[in-house]
Every structure is written in structure tokens, then in C-alpha cells.
Amino acid sequence: AGDIKAKDEKGEFFLVEIQVNMFDYFPQRLLYYWARQYASQLAERQHYDNLRKVSVISFCAKNLPIPLPETESIHCFRIFECKNHIPYHNDLNIYTVELPKFELSANDMISDTQRWLYFLKNAQSLDDTQLPKSLDTPLVHHALKECTMFTQNEIQRGLYEGQLKAHLDYISALDASLQQGIKEGIRETATNALKAGLDLKTIQAITGLTLAEIQQIQDTMK
């Protein structure tokens, strides 16, 4: 999910995210998401009056693990007194949008909310030059251009990361070959020194090998 944090002129916060996957712990995650932002507003010794409302808005590509009505895609969760449904406080607002439940066609949309939900659900298949009449607005055209730029940037980033990986693989392979060559050169030096009759401690000082490694080379020469 990509997150967006916004603040309006009243100082209230809006946390917007698009959730692709769904998990059983998702409700707790949204509560934690809200709580972190709410608690982070106060510096040390500040008064609780400084707290401002925080609204979480989550657009979900899959339905929530909560038994919600199948005919409604937008839900708002707040804190209420259980018996009489009296609001406890309005600083907590969690909005969820279950995109799979939104099934209106392009010709059935009558509100801005419906248009944007249709856009979010079908953006990948929309053509900027052939938009449905209900979506043919400057804002939607701008949003589609932003989506196109984002997609192109993601492709370019993927190409860059692929090239970087290939470069790092080449450097790693080259370094491994170099290290192997150095090891073979040291072993050859140790072998020649043994053949020349040098003592083990002298060979150790020349090559940097351990006595055990030199003795192993000596054993292979017998």
C-alpha cells in the first residue's frame, strides 16, 4: 500500500491508502495506523486540546474480513455507546472502500464518489482518448496522466534495477575470479618455496598462509 497524509485548514488529518492484499489482522492494522498518527500530534507537556481529528481512508482491492453488507462498498467506523449508539468522540474515523463490491457501470454513475470509485477500479483499462461521458472531466484526465507517468516511472525503475543487478553480478563474478586467481598464485608460490627447500615459517611469512595450509600443500606434493 502507498500512503498519503494530508492536513486540512482546520488541522485535521487524513490518511489515505490503497490496500492490495487482505489479512485477518487488517482491522487492527487500521486502528494502529490511526492511533500512531493521533498520538504523534502531542509533544511533551502539550494539552489534549491540541489533538485534532484523524480520518483513515482505505481503498481495498479485496473485501474486509468483516461480515459487511454485500450491497454496500463504503463503510465508516466510529466509536459509539453500545446501547443507544451515542458518539463517544468524533476524532476517530475509519473509512473503508471495498472495491470488489462496487459494480456500477460507466453509464450508471451520478455522483463524484461513484466516478472516482469507478476510476480506481478500472483505471488500468481506461483510455484517455475514449473516456465514458461520465468520466470525461479535466480531473479524470489529469489523474490518468499521473497514472501513466507513474507506470512509466515504475517500468524505468525496473529496467534500472535490472541493469544495476546485472552490473553488480558482473562485479561480484569478476571479484570472485580475481580472488581465486590470487589464491592459486599464493599456493603456487608456496609450492615453489617448498621445492626450493625453504622452511615452513619462512614460507608462512612470504605467503600469509597458515602452517596447516602449507603442510596440506606439502602433503599433496608427496
Side-chain angles (χ1 to χ4, degrees):
D3 299 336
I4 298 173
K5 182 169 73 172
K7 188 177 182 181
D8 66 10
E9 64 279 359
K10 298 178 183 178
E12 297 178 1
F13 292 92
F14 296 86
L15 309 179
V16 185
E17 68 162 15
I18 296 179
Q19 181 66 26
V20 177
N21 297 313
M22 187 55 61
F23 310 96
D24 290 338
Y25 56 77
F26 184 69
Q28 293 99 311
R29 178 186 171 280
L30 288 186
L31 280 174
Y32 177 75
Y33 191 30
W34 174 88
R36 282 192 62 184
Q37 179 59 43
Y38 194 68
S40 68
Q41 295 180 55
L42 290 187
E44 188 176 359
R45 297 183 181 178
Q46 280 189 316
H47 198 273
Y48 294 118
D49 286 344
N50 292 314
L51 290 170
R52 293 293 179 267
K53 180 191 297 185
V54 175
S55 296
V56 176
I57 305 172
S58 181
F59 294 92
C60 305
K62 297 181 181 179
N63 294 336
L64 273 70
I66 302 174
L68 297 169
E70 290 296 327
T71 57
E72 299 176 11
S73 57
I74 302 177
H75 307 280
C76 178
F77 299 93
R78 293 175 179 166
I79 302 177
F80 294 92
E81 189 274 332
C82 294
K83 184 177 180 180
N84 301 297
H85 292 181
I86 299 172
Y88 178 77
H89 204 282
N90 64 356
D91 276 6
L92 185 149
N93 291 275
I94 295 179
Y95 297 90
T96 61
V97 182
E98 297 176 302
L99 293 175
K101 294 180 180 179
F102 182 79
E103 297 180 349
L104 290 181
S105 67
N107 297 323
D108 295 331
M109 296 178 295
I110 57 175
S111 69
D112 287 338
T113 299
Q114 291 172 346
R115 293 185 183 94
W116 284 113
L117 291 185
Y118 183 91
F119 174 84
L120 286 173
K121 189 172 182 179
N122 301 282
Q124 291 183 340
S125 61
L126 292 176
D127 184 350
D128 187 43
T129 62
Q130 296 180 341
L131 285 175
K133 187 176 180 180
S134 58
L135 292 177
D136 196 5
T137 67
L139 280 176
V140 173
H141 280 282
H142 178 73
L144 274 176
K145 289 179 181 179
E146 290 293 326
C147 286
T148 300
M149 290 178 60
F150 176 79
T151 301
Q152 290 175 345
N153 289 339
E154 285 295 298
I155 292 173
Q156 291 174 355
R157 187 175 70 177
L159 291 173
Y160 168 76
E161 289 179 348
Q163 292 172 348
L164 178 61
K165 182 179 181 299
H167 176 69
L168 291 176
D169 288 346
Y170 171 75
I171 294 297
S172 297
L174 186 63
D175 182 65
S177 297
L178 179 61
Q179 293 297 329
Q180 183 61 31
I182 292 174
K183 288 180 180 179
E184 291 177 357
I186 291 174
R187 290 180 65 86
E188 184 177 355
T189 299
T191 301
N192 292 333
L194 286 168
K195 290 179 179 179
L198 295 180
D199 62 273
L200 299 187
K201 288 188 177 181
T202 301
I203 297 174
Q204 183 182 24
I206 295 173
T207 62
L209 295 174
T210 65
L211 289 176
E213 289 173 329
I214 298 172
Q215 288 173 345
Q216 185 181 24
I217 295 173
Q218 191 176 41
D219 290 341
T220 60
M221 295 172 57
K222 295 179 180 178

